[in-house]
Amino acid sequence: MMTLNSYLSIVTLNVNWLNEPIKRHRVSDWIKKQDPSICRLQETHFRQKDTYNLKIKGWRTIYHSNGPQKKAGVAILMSDKLKFTPKTVVSDEEGHYLILKGSIQQEDLTILNIYMPRIWSCQILKPINNQSEEILR
């Protein structure tokens, strides 16, 4: 196991649709080149059955939240260089948020990835607030 630097690098990308192979390839190349510890993707537009399409060498651990249709969708990717131990994973049925609680080298960590179209902010924030209060305790 590789030793962890004294910092984590986290990037967030609004990818606006990853159903086209060429776009997935470009995003994958960009992530490999930047080499962050954690990558959060928004607007993946995957359905649950399509999530296998997102494969990036060196990034085997991928958490998804997807709705039944090809809209919204968020993902959190963990570099293979990290030994992330998940404790709690919470997501909604529409693919608007994903909350991970776990640890990296015995250090507790909570990662949120929220995709919220402006017109839906009030509808989405209420369930997130209710669930996250319980999780974050």
Side-chain angles (χ1 to χ4, degrees), residues 6-41:
S6 60
Y7 66 92
L8 290 175
S9 57
I10 302 172
V11 297
T12 300
L13 299 171
N14 185 318
V15 293
N16 193 20
W17 196 269
L18 281 180
N19 287 294
E20 297 174 12
I22 189 77
K23 192 165 189 180
R24 283 194 307 273
H25 180 73
R26 287 180 180 160
V27 168
S28 172
D29 284 350
W30 188 89
I31 291 170
K32 286 188 275 188
K33 183 178 178 181
Q34 299 302 313
D35 195 31
S37 307
I38 298 168
C39 184
R40 302 176 330 145
L41 302 178

Side-chain angles (χ1 to χ4, degrees), residues 40-53:
R40 302 176 330 145
L41 302 178
Q42 298 177 349
E43 283 196 272
T44 58
H45 291 251
F46 283 142
R47 291 175 295 186
Q48 192 63 37
K49 68 178 188 167
D50 299 324
T51 57
Y52 73 92
N53 285 326

